[in-house]
Structures are given as C-alpha cells and as structure tokens.
C-alpha cells in the first residue's frame, strides 16, 4: 500500500498549496470516508473539466491543476490522488476505454478515474471528472456511481495503478490546448 501513498513529481502533494488544501478539506471530518468524500467533491465540483469548458491549457501535476482550477479527467484524478494521499488514504489510478464521440466522431479514448482503498470494503472507484447534463458521478461507498456506464466496445481496465499510465502522461505533456488534446486523446486497444 505504501506506493499508493507516495508523493511523486506528478502527484506533488508536498506542494504547499496542495498540502494546505488537503488539510483544510479534512479538518472537520471524522473518518477516512468523510475525508475522501470532501476531497472528491472539491475536485469534481471546483475544478473545471477542460473538455467541458474548452480551456486552452492542459494541466499535468496536481499543483498545476489546483493553480489553474482546470484539468482533463486524467489531471483531475492526479489532484484527487494528491489530496487523498496527503491525508494518508491509499489512492491509485484506473481507466476506462470509452467512446469519445462527444469530441470527435468514431473515436475511443481512455477516461481517467481513481480507486481509493478503504479498510471496510477495499478498493472503491470514483470519477471526479465533473458533472453536467447526462453525467452524475457520486460518492456513495461501497456502491460505485461513475460518470459513464459502459457501452458497446467500451471496457474497464482492471488494474489499480500507482502512477498514471504512460500514454496518459505523454498526451498531457504533448497536447498543450483543447484542440490538440481532442485530436490526440490517449487510447489503448485492449484491457491489460
């Protein structure tokens, strides 16, 4: 579990602002579940989804997501991992392969989520991408309520990773604006 608690260059919860926010969100909470809900709702509701708002910046590190208050699902999952790990809650990364036809016709891409480890029921997936019409992700452990239900040709990648997938990091580094990202979403052809 130690790997799911580490600060890294990307999950930089040792950044002063990220750490301060993590402590502030946990302040009145009495359990890990309450802390996780507080952090999840902050990232879901207070950080804009770059695709929904067509923001012309691509954030990568947790500190940048917080600074600019925007991020693709991948980046929002990095900030959420940082906030939870700063509070001693094991958090990993997981992905779904979904149709991305809302951005570009007939393409698939990876969608970034988090998995949080709770002693009571193990790994629990959450999706902090941000709600909008037709998207209603909630924090209701042990029952998952993710942003999207899987459709034809879509699937969950089964592993809970300690770091974001290399394909995801590469896309966030290479594509600096909305138009670039929409043309180059990270994808993977099969479950691993």
């Amino acid at each position: 579990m130690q790997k799911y608690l580490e600060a890294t260059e990307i999950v930089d919860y040792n950044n002063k602002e990220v750490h301060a926010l993590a402590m502030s969100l946990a302040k009145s909470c009495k359990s890990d579940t309450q802390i996780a809900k507080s952090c999840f709702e902050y990232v879901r509701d207070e950080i804009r989804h770059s695709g929904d708002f067509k923001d012309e910046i691509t954030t990568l590190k947790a500190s940048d997501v917080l600074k600019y208050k925007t991020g693709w699902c991948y980046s929002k999952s990095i900030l959420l991992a940082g906030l939870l790990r700063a509070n001693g809650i094991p958090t990993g990364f997981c992905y779904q392969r979904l149709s991305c036809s809302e951005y570009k016709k007939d393409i698939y891409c990876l969608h970034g989520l988090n998995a949080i480890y709770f002693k009571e029921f193990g790994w629990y997936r959450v999706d902090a991408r941000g709600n909008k019409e037709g998207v209603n992700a909630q924090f209701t452990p042990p029952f998952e309520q993710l942003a999207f239900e899987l459709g034809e040709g879509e699937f969950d990648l089964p592993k809970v990773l300690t770091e974001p997938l290399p394909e995801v990091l590469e896309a966030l580094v290479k594509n600096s604006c909305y138009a670039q990202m929409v043309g180059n979403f990270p994808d993977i052809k099969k479950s691993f």
Side-chain angles (χ1 to χ4, degrees), residues 5 8 11 13 22 63 72 88 104 132 136 142 149 151 160 176:
L5 291 168
T8 66
V11 185
Y13 68 76
S63 56
W72 289 92
K104 198 172 179 183
K132 62 179 186 175
N136 183 25
E149 288 189 27
V160 177
S176 62

Side-chain angles (χ1 to χ4, degrees), residues 81-102:
L83 296 173
L84 294 171
R85 289 179 181 188
N87 279 295
I89 300 171
T91 307
F93 299 92
C94 48
Y95 297 91
Q96 296 176 315
R97 184 178 193 251
L98 303 176
S99 167
C100 292
S101 58
E102 73 177 282

Side-chain angles (χ1 to χ4, degrees), residues 20-55:
L21 176 61
M23 297 304 103
S24 170
L25 290 169
K27 196 170 189 170
S28 61
C29 299
K30 294 178 178 23
S31 69
D32 283 354
T33 306
Q34 288 179 354
I35 294 169
K37 182 176 184 178
S38 177
C39 293
F40 165 78
E41 288 180 347
Y42 177 88
V43 175
R44 183 193 65 190
D45 300 340
E46 302 300 325
I47 304 296
R48 292 160 50 114
H49 184 276
S50 299
D52 292 349
F53 290 90
K54 297 185 171 144
D55 289 330

Side-chain angles (χ1 to χ4, degrees), residues 161-172:
L161 307 169
T162 58
E163 298 281 331
L165 281 171
E167 296 89 340
V168 167
L169 295 176
E170 184 180 330
L172 291 171

Side-chain angles (χ1 to χ4, degrees), residues 57-69:
I57 182 172
T58 301
T59 53
L60 173 63
K61 299 191 310 187
S63 56
D64 289 338
V65 177
L66 181 58
K67 178 179 179 181
Y68 296 105
K69 298 278 193 280

